[in-house]
Every structure is written in structure tokens, then in C-alpha cells.
Amino acid sequence: MHLGIFKITYNRTATHFMDDCFVNLGEEVILTLLQNSGTSKSANMAGERNPASCYLDERTFQLCCQLFLQHSETIQDGWSWEQIKGTDEGFMKKTVLMPVKPSVLHKQHEYSIQDENMVTDDIQANVEDETAGVQAVCEIHAVLRYEYHVLYSCSYQIPVLYFRASTLDGRPLSLEEVWSNVHPNYRQRLQQGPWDTLTQQEHPLLGQPFFMLHPCRTEEFMKPALDLAQAENKRMNYIVTWLSVVGPVLRLDVPLSYSTEVSAPD
């Protein structure tokens, strides 16, 4: 099942993607899964089949990640596994350079006209150096670096998405700026609901400040997908489905081929 996927990596996306071209068929599905939690619970209570468990153990998490990473290597999607020295723990990691409008950045960090011209020239050179054949990016005024980490939470027994964001000169983004970079179609509805979507916490494995997409209601949006897979006797890779739901909220793309090529662990 493919839920709301859209390319956001800078080398695969037109420079105007931050405008109206973020619309995709899965967007309403994701928002419904994020917000309409009661319906799934009622349906499960009424049905005869036992609902699928939304939790997984750490071993299953690592096996799902291993299969995910094998496909990432095949399609050169940029994911890697970071092992913590001296432990059995680790996490999946991906870094993305993301073109944005200047309005995403806080006013106190706006560039002067002279500085903006210099930075824009540097950004254009960097993008063209790393991306052969990409069209000119003259309309890009800023590029952000997002570093995504997928960790296993022993407390919640589910995966959790941590990330940090900065400008190319290394200045970390504030929580307000991160919220500004959440697409309006998601941001408006998530801020109206009870879900404390984005929080800033210490990375449990690195001990550094990171942002976190809070996992407290993961069960509520994963249950429909898991129950459907169970009803159809299909094996589903938890990481693929979960990341396909939460990734677009933070402009993290999960290509469709993951859902068609990555299986569940044996």
C-alpha cells in the first residue's frame, strides 16, 4: 500500500515544488489516518478478526530496516545504517538537501540583498556540482540540510523519526522554522488537533538536540494499514508503511518501489 508519496530530494525535484505541486493522491489518506483515530478502534471492536498488533520488537525492527536498506542501496536512495560503537544499537540515517523559499526562515535570519545574492550564487554552484543535468536554480533563495534518523523506541515499541535541520552554513533551525517547512496542508490540520506532532528532545543514542515526530499516536494511524494487510493475508514491511505515512509530513520521500519490492522479514 502506497500512502502519499512525493519526491522532495533536491536533485529530483523542480525548483517550484514548494508552491502548488505538492498535491498528491495520498495526502487525504495520510491526514485521515493521523486524525481520525476513533473509527479504527470502533471497527476493530465490532469485527470478528483480532486486530493486528501495532508494536514490534527490536529484532523485527532491525530486520525490517535491513530489507529497507538493501533496496535503498539498489536504487541509490541515500539511506545508511549507523551503528553505535560498543553496543548492538543503531539507526537508519539519510541526509537531504532541500530547496525552500526564504519565508521558511525566521525573519531575524533574513539575508540582506547583497548577502542573498552571494548565498544564492553559492547554492546554485553546489547544486549544479552535485547534480548533473539539473535545470538552473536561479529562483532558489535558500537550501536547507535535513538529517533524518529512524530509531527504535523501547518505551513505545515502535519506530520513531528523529531529525535535525540547518542552513548550509550550519545554523540550526528553530522549532518555528521547522514548523514553517511542514507543508501547509499538513501543518494547519496537525496544529489544530491534539497531537503534539513536533517536539525537540535529546537524541537517545547520540545525546544531541534533535527534533522528533512524536510517536504517541502511531498505533492510531498504523492500525488501518496493518488490519488491511492481515485481512488480505499480505505480508507488510512495517518500516516501509510507517515511513510512507510520516515521511511526507516532513517532506521525506519514500519512493513507490519500496512498497512493491521490499518484503516483510521471515
Side-chain angles (χ1 to χ4, degrees):
M1 183 172 63
H2 173 52
L3 301 175
I5 292 174
F6 185 86
K7 280 286 179 189
I8 54 84
T9 47
Y10 75 98
N11 61 333
R12 302 286 297 274
T13 307
T15 58
H16 62 280
F17 99 92
M18 292 293 291
D19 297 320
D20 294 330
C21 62
F22 189 79
V23 177
N24 60 85
L25 293 177
E27 180 179 308
E28 289 301 322
V29 176
I30 294 173
L31 291 168
T32 300
L33 292 176
L34 289 174
Q35 294 188 332
N36 296 343
S37 59
T39 302
S40 176
K41 290 183 177 180
S42 298
N44 287 333
M45 293 177 64
E48 295 181 358
R49 182 188 295 267
N50 292 329
S53 173
C54 292
Y55 305 103
L56 71 166
D57 57 62
E58 189 168 8
R59 176 60 178 165
T60 303
F61 166 79
Q62 292 179 350
L63 290 174
C64 286
C65 288
Q66 182 179 359
L67 294 168
F68 185 97
L69 290 168
Q70 288 174 358
H71 185 65
S72 174
E73 183 177 0
T74 299
I75 65 174
Q76 299 183 342
D77 194 34
W79 286 96
S80 63
W81 180 262
E82 297 291 323
Q83 190 73 31
I84 303 300
K85 293 182 179 179
T87 73
D88 295 330
E89 297 180 299
F91 55 89
M92 290 204 311
K93 174 183 175 181
K94 181 178 183 178
T95 301
V96 175
L97 298 183
M98 187 181 304
V100 298
K101 290 182 177 180
S103 58
V104 169
L105 303 180
H106 197 276
K107 290 183 179 180
Q108 70 185 49
H109 299 292
E110 288 182 348
Y111 304 114
S112 65
I113 295 177
Q114 181 178 0
D115 290 340
E116 183 177 289
N117 291 336
M118 294 176 61
V119 172
T120 302
D121 291 341
D122 291 340
I123 292 172
Q124 182 170 346
N126 289 336
V127 173
E128 290 177 345
D129 287 344
E130 295 187 33
T131 313
V134 173
Q135 296 179 347
V137 290
C138 58
E139 295 182 2
I140 298 176
H141 296 285
V143 170
L144 301 179
R145 179 182 287 107
Y146 268 66
E147 182 179 317
Y148 301 98
H149 292 186
V150 174
L151 285 73
Y152 179 76
S153 170
C154 294
S155 300
Y156 289 95
Q157 296 183 332
I158 51 178
V160 182
L161 182 60
Y162 283 79
F163 69 99
R164 56 184 170 187
S166 65
T167 59
L168 290 185
D169 61 5
R171 181 184 69 80
L173 268 62
S174 65
L175 180 59
E176 180 182 355
E177 289 170 321
V178 169
W179 265 116
S180 297
N181 201 34
V182 175
H183 192 276
N185 290 358
Y186 295 115
R187 181 177 66 243
Q188 182 178 7
R189 300 193 189 187
L190 290 174
Q191 288 181 327
Q192 289 176 352
W195 192 25
D196 295 328
T197 315
L198 297 179
T199 59
Q200 191 168 23
Q201 295 190 11
E202 182 179 283
H203 193 292
L205 299 181
L206 301 181
Q208 301 172 0
F210 266 70
F211 295 104
M212 179 184 72
L213 193 62
H214 203 282
C216 64
R217 295 180 65 182
T218 298
E219 178 182 5
E220 298 175 6
F221 64 77
M222 281 297 293
K223 184 171 289 295
L226 292 166
D227 286 346
L228 179 62
Q230 183 186 66
E232 297 180 353
N233 293 318
K234 293 182 178 179
R235 301 173 67 239
M236 183 188 75
N237 186 295
Y238 193 110
I239 295 298
V240 172
T241 302
W242 166 79
L243 200 56
S244 294
V245 174
V246 302
V249 176
L250 299 174
R251 300 189 183 277
L252 174 60
D253 170 47
V254 181
L256 177 60
S257 60
Y258 281 99
S259 64
T260 59
E261 301 296 331
V262 180
S263 63
D266 294 328

